[in-house]
């Protein structure tokens, strides 16, 4: 196994830079830099020197002994001054050391996976945590990183192994009289797992929205004040506004943090009949994005005048309340009237949806959960036919077990790994 190294902190000038090494030569390479013995596990303040004895920098040297490290290998970390010159000088010395090479993106985490320090869902949770921008995303990623989904999958796996083992015990003693009917216990175990799988699969859509962001489309007639409202919500000039109808031709997106939830606001083209070819393309796109959004804000006194279906949790507000008194349901992006109330309503509706969120967060998870559930449905159906078909029922349960093992990365996920780890930085 190669020894790898990389800058684990951000590129550029900083107070402290962290350089990480992992592999069999990690400790000896750092020993050469410091010129002295280092403990197998500990922290020391040392001066780093080049091969010619010249002083490179001083800083903290942390050492971790396998398997008690992030990667499961011998690991060392150098915490030095964060100047570009200091980092480059130390990195050059490591590059010139025999047996060391620069890590590939995500290679430290990949080694943690391969050495059993993390399962695949935890790797995905770590990637989500690095990308987290809102409090809801952070909490969700922390749950996955802590092994929440992996622990559930392991519990399901144990229950299914127990159920399959009971059936196989009956098969092994087929020529003898088995004193106990195992069907009730097997059914209870399988149905318990199926109930959990269904609940988690149904919660993936919302969990994925927390991870990637909800979409809220602002729709209305031309010149209804959609772009002005978007700018007021964003707190900046994100969209061009003018008194001329049809100014907005494309969908303009603004990403926001609303009470910890990631939300992308969509400013769409004004919905109307037009002979302008370019504007008609914008209107068609506006309808498509609005219909696909998680919710819509109708900027109109009459939602039926817009060619977009008004749904139960959509919001209707009366536009341009600065020009006429529309009461509490009026809104004006120009004066700010009603904007805070609108934000509160959007946040409240989206927050209520997150209560159905599960631990599973990705389409890959949902597919695995559904496939396992289908195998267990088949097992239950066969189970009704009696002991003569127990071997088929047990095999369906084994299929479900293998599916759950692929969920946490034990089998059959090699094609996924390169894609997953390509999103990581070099030092992670």
């Amino acid at each position: 196994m190669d020894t790898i190294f990389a800058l684990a902190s951000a590129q550029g000038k900083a107070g402290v830079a962290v350089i990480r090494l992992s592999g069999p030569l990690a400790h000896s390479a750092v020993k050469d830099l410091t010129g002295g013995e280092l403990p197998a596990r500990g922290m020391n303040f040392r001066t780093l020197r080049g091969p010619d004895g010249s002083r490179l920098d001083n800083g903290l040297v942390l050492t971790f002994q396998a398997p008690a490290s992030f990667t499961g290998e011998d690991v060392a970390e150098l915490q030095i001054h964060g100047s570009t010159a200091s980092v480059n000088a130390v990195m050059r010395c490591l590059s010139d050391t025999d047996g060391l090479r620069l890590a590939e993106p995500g290679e430290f985490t990949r080694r943690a996976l391969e050495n059993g320090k993390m399962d695949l869902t935890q790797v995905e949770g770590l990637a989500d945590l690095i990308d987290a921008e809102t409090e809801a995303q952070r909490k969700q990623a922390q749950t996955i990183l802590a092994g929440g989904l992996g622990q559930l999958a392991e519990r399901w796996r144990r229950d299914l192994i127990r159920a399959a083992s009971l059936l196989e015990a009956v098969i092994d003693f087929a020529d003898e009289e088995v004193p106990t009917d195992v069907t009730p216990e097997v059914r209870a175990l399988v149905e318990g797992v199926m109930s959990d799988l269904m609940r988690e699969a149904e919660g993936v859509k919302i969990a994925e929205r927390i991870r990637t962001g909800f979409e809220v489309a602002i729709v209305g007639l031309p010149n209804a004040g959609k772009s002005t409202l978007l700018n007021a919500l964003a707190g900046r000039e994100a969209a061009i506004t003018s008194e001329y109808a049809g100014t907005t031709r494309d969908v303009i997106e603004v990403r926001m943090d609303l009470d910890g939830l990631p939300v992308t606001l969509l400013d769409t083209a004004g919905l109307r009949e037009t002979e302008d070819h370019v504007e008609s393309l914008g209107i068609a796109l506006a309808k498509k994005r609005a219909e696909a959004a998680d919710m819509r804000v109708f900027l109109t006194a009459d939602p039926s005048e817009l060619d977009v279906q008004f749904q139960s949790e959509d919001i209707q507000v009366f536009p341009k309340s600065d020009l006429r008194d529309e009461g509490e349901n009026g809104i004006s992006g120009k004066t700010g009237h009603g904007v805070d109330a609108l934000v509160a309503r959007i946040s409240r509706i989206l927050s209520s949806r997150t209560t159905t969120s599960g631990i599973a967060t990705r389409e890959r998870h949902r597919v695995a959960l559904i496939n396992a559930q289908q195998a267990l449905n088949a097992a239950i159906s066969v189970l009704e036919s009696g002991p003569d078909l127990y071997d088929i029922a047990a095999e369906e349960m084994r299929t479900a077990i293998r599916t759950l093992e692929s969920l946490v990365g034990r089998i059959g996920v090699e094609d996924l790994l390169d894609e997953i780890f390509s999103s990581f930085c070099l030092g992670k």
Side-chain angles (χ1 to χ4, degrees):
M1 178 69 72
D2 294 340
T3 297
I4 56 175
F5 70 93
L7 178 65
S9 51
Q11 294 279 354
K13 185 171 63 175
V16 176
V18 179
I19 298 173
R20 175 180 290 169
L21 300 87
S22 180
L25 301 180
H27 289 186
S28 62
V30 174
K31 177 184 173 183
D32 291 342
L33 279 175
T34 60
E37 291 295 331
L38 292 167
R41 182 178 183 86
M43 178 174 63
N44 290 267
F45 184 78
R46 297 291 179 87
T47 297
L48 308 179
R49 298 186 182 277
D52 59 357
S54 61
R55 180 190 178 100
L56 300 176
D57 200 356
N58 53 24
L60 292 177
V61 179
L62 287 74
T63 49
F64 306 85
Q65 189 174 30
S69 71
F70 174 71
T71 63
E73 304 171 339
D74 284 346
V75 168
E77 289 189 356
L78 306 174
Q79 297 185 9
I80 62 174
H81 295 99
S83 75
T84 301
S86 295
V87 171
N88 288 343
V90 175
M91 294 285 280
R92 277 196 301 271
C93 285
L94 293 175
S95 296
D96 293 338
T97 302
D98 291 339
L100 270 62
R101 66 169 175 82
L102 188 65
E104 297 175 357
E107 190 168 4
F108 289 95
T109 306
R110 186 163 189 158
R111 291 191 177 194
L113 173 68
E114 292 170 347
N115 292 327
K117 306 297 290 186
M118 307 174 76
D119 65 37
L120 187 57
T121 61
Q122 288 176 293
V123 169
E124 292 169 325
L126 178 57
D128 291 343
L129 182 60
I130 292 171
D131 291 336
E133 298 175 337
T134 71
E135 183 65 7
Q137 289 174 323
R138 183 192 67 80
K139 289 180 178 178
Q140 180 174 269
Q142 285 284 10
T143 300
I144 300 296
L145 179 57
L149 184 55
Q151 291 165 11
L152 266 181
E154 182 58 30
R155 192 189 78 199
W156 297 333
R157 181 176 175 273
R158 285 198 306 268
D159 287 350
L160 294 180
I161 288 175
R162 166 69 178 168
S165 298
L166 288 170
L167 296 182
E168 288 165 352
V170 174
I171 295 169
D172 289 342
F173 294 96
D175 296 333
E176 303 177 24
E177 184 177 345
V178 179
T180 303
D181 181 9
V182 301
T183 304
E185 183 177 354
V186 169
R187 174 183 286 278
L189 288 168
V190 173
E191 288 181 346
V193 173
M194 288 175 63
S195 176
D196 287 350
L197 293 175
M198 183 181 300
R199 183 180 64 254
E200 286 299 323
E202 289 174 349
V204 168
K205 181 178 180 181
I206 294 299
E208 192 169 29
R209 275 291 183 249
I210 294 174
R211 185 172 66 85
T212 61
F214 292 91
E215 286 194 348
V216 177
I218 303 172
V219 295
L221 294 173
N223 243 354
K226 300 182 297 299
S227 297
T228 302
L229 176 59
L230 179 76
N231 290 342
L233 291 167
R236 60 185 176 88
E237 295 295 318
I240 297 174
T241 61
S242 79
E243 69 275 19
Y244 300 106
T247 299
T248 301
R249 299 296 181 94
D250 202 354
V251 175
I252 298 172
E253 303 182 6
V254 174
R255 193 169 178 87
M256 297 181 64
D257 180 341
L258 296 186
D259 285 346
L261 293 174
V263 177
T264 299
L265 297 172
L266 308 178
D267 176 23
T268 61
L271 304 181
R272 66 173 179 177
E273 296 293 331
T274 179
E275 295 182 0
D276 185 307
H277 177 65
V278 175
E279 185 182 359
S280 66
L281 293 176
I283 292 171
L285 179 60
K287 291 179 181 178
K288 182 178 180 181
R289 290 296 299 273
E291 290 167 353
D294 297 287
M295 66 179 297
R296 286 143 293 279
V297 175
F298 282 75
L299 221 59
T300 176
D302 180 11
S304 64
E305 67 183 354
L306 304 178
D307 190 19
V308 175
Q309 181 67 38
F310 187 88
Q311 299 181 25
S312 59
E313 290 190 320
D314 288 343
I315 296 174
Q316 177 198 0
V317 287
F318 299 113
K320 297 187 176 181
S321 64
D322 55 295
L323 300 180
R324 51 188 176 271
D325 184 11
E326 300 288 2
E328 292 183 0
N329 206 37
I331 195 167
S332 170
K334 186 174 181 179
T335 66
H337 174 257
V339 171
D340 289 343
L342 175 62
V343 169
R345 290 176 67 183
I346 294 172
S347 300
R348 185 168 60 252
I349 292 170
L350 295 181
S351 294
S352 68
R353 295 186 189 182
T354 63
T355 58
T356 62
S357 171
I359 296 179
T361 59
R362 296 170 182 257
E363 178 64 14
R364 180 185 77 83
H365 302 165
R366 190 187 70 83
V367 170
L369 295 170
I370 289 176
N371 288 343
Q373 186 179 344
Q374 289 174 344
L376 295 181
N377 271 323
I380 288 290
S381 298
V382 174
L383 197 64
E384 298 294 334
S385 301
D388 289 343
L389 297 180
Y390 274 4
D391 55 338
I392 298 176
E395 183 54 36
E396 293 290 357
M397 292 178 197
R398 297 288 179 191
T399 298
I401 291 168
R402 288 192 293 272
T403 301
L404 295 176
E405 288 176 338
S406 71
L407 176 65
V408 296
R410 290 184 179 177
I411 60 172
V413 293
E414 285 300 318
D415 292 342
L416 287 171
L417 297 184
D418 288 340
E419 178 181 351
I420 290 172
F421 289 115
S422 65
S423 67
F424 282 76
C425 60
L426 289 177
K428 199 60 184 173

